[in-house]
Amino acid sequence: MVAIKIILAGPRGKMGKEAVKMIENEPKFELVSCIDRKNNGKKLSEVLSSTALQVPIFEDPESCFSSVKADVFIDLTIPNVGYINTKAALERGIHAVVGTSGFTDEQLSELTKTAEAKGVGCIIAPNFALGAVLMMVFSKMAAKYFPDVEVIEKHHDQKIDAPSGTAVKTVEMIKEVRQAKQQGHPDEYESIEGARGANIDGIHVHSMRLPGLVAHQEVVFGSKSQLLSIKHDSFHRESFMDGLHLAVEEVSKYKTLVYGLENILDLQ
Ligand code: NAP
């Protein structure tokens, strides 16, 4: 068995640490290098007490990709950095799996072009928790029959982007099947700005940020005398590792960008 060689960006982050653990515990995977914004030239074990891996750390993604041979690049950083890293990986013909959320439509379209031009796969998933992906799929099914819907997403207070990538993706999926409608009272107004949350094409998204939370979302559908709530909670970043594992295994089958883990799951 030849292991899939992986370069990981963001190894000191909360997701990054979990990813290092997941890769270390999977004989089919091999971590060959990391990209970090500090610690250039050090070994991973020198900066992460949880691992004995001696893989080299690079601050510059280009130097990393040109010095170390890899099959898959994983990005778990912040949007602008993740975009630069991912584009550089794809340009080198390295498949990419991205958990970093907050890419713009322009960035996604540029990465799609690069992946297709180089004939490599790029899986970007706003949420790698399989339960969260099913929550989105079930919400899309419900929206066909329940067009009145609002989304409440709750995350830890260190998250920098809002609304969450999962909430935006959920709304996109709902929009594919929901009949367009003006929700709420036609004369509704906010006496305090922001009271109704973000409005994505008529669907309101409410974002909560508090210590103690990890990643949680509830999609609430309202109808005459009934409410349907579809809810998912990630209590630990470990919950994202099954989906990340699957994406790393599957990404080399693609020659384009795939946005959303639901597109690589068997949901029939
Ligand atoms: P985190 O703990 O804050 O980790 C972020 C990592 O990015 C850290 O290693 C951080 O380094 C690094 N970083 C920050 N600014 C940087 C810069 N300017 N240049 C290079 N590296 C930089 O966050 P997290 O909870 O692990 O989340 C990481 C990403 O994954 C976020 O985008 C988050 O939204 C996303 N996420 C995705 C999923 C999913 O299922 N797809 C789930 C959870 C989170 P420092 O420590 O030096 O700042």
Side-chain angles (χ1 to χ4, degrees), residues 13-231:
K14 292 178 280 301
M15 284 289 280
K17 280 186 198 139
E18 280 303 314
V20 169
K21 211 189 297 173
M22 182 274 285
I23 296 166
E24 248 187 311
N25 290 330
E26 172 52 82
K28 289 189 275 183
F29 297 166
E30 183 191 352
L31 188 65
V32 289
S33 180
C34 286
I35 298 171
D36 191 0
R37 71 162 150 173
K38 43 192 184 188
N39 303 309
N40 196 43
K42 289 192 177 169
K43 302 288 184 213
L44 188 59
S45 57
E46 294 174 64
V47 302
L48 217 58
S49 59
S50 52
T51 183
L53 287 176
Q54 296 287 307
V55 304
I57 295 175
F58 291 81
E59 284 174 20
D60 174 38
E62 294 290 354
S63 314
C64 179
F65 297 136
S66 60
S67 314
V68 182
K69 193 177 160 357
D71 306 300
V72 176
F73 165 67
I74 301 177
D75 196 277
L76 297 168
T77 61
I78 58 168
N80 285 341
V81 174
Y83 171 72
I84 292 166
N85 291 344
T86 305
K87 192 156 163 44
L90 296 175
E91 274 166 355
R92 296 247 171 205
I94 303 170
H95 303 287
V97 172
V98 180
T100 306
S101 60
F103 286 4
T104 63
D105 288 346
E106 290 73 30
Q107 289 174 331
L108 291 175
S109 123
E110 196 51 41
L111 293 177
T112 304
K113 272 192 237 157
T114 311
E116 289 177 0
K118 296 290 172 182
V120 287
C122 177
I123 296 175
I124 300 185
N127 202 316
F128 278 118
L130 294 181
V133 176
L134 292 175
M135 167 195 63
M136 292 187 254
V137 172
F138 297 157
S139 298
K140 180 176 172 180
M141 289 167 76
K144 206 167 172 181
Y145 303 98
F146 292 85
D148 289 87
V149 53
E150 300 208 2
V151 178
I152 305 160
E153 59 97 339
K154 307 174 194 177
H155 282 82
H156 59 89
D157 62 348
Q158 297 306 303
K159 183 170 177 58
I160 57 170
D161 57 316
S164 70
T166 304
V168 174
K169 174 77 181 165
T170 306
V171 170
E172 281 167 9
M173 288 173 67
I174 286 174
K175 271 170 47 190
E176 287 172 30
V177 295
R178 170 184 176 264
Q179 69 188 73
K181 76 168 289 190
Q182 161 78 46
Q183 285 183 205
H185 196 287
D187 298 329
E188 179 184 280
Y189 69 93
E190 291 180 330
S191 52
I192 297 178
E193 195 187 326
R196 294 284 287 119
N199 184 333
I200 311 178
D201 296 326
I203 299 176
H204 290 267
V205 177
H206 310 270
S207 300
M208 190 184 283
R209 299 288 178 266
L210 284 174
L213 293 168
V214 180
H216 316 259
Q217 181 169 295
E218 186 169 4
V219 185
V220 186
F221 296 89
S223 185
K224 283 179 192 153
S225 303
Q226 61 179 319
L227 276 185
L228 169 65
S229 295
I230 302 174
K231 189 167 178 282

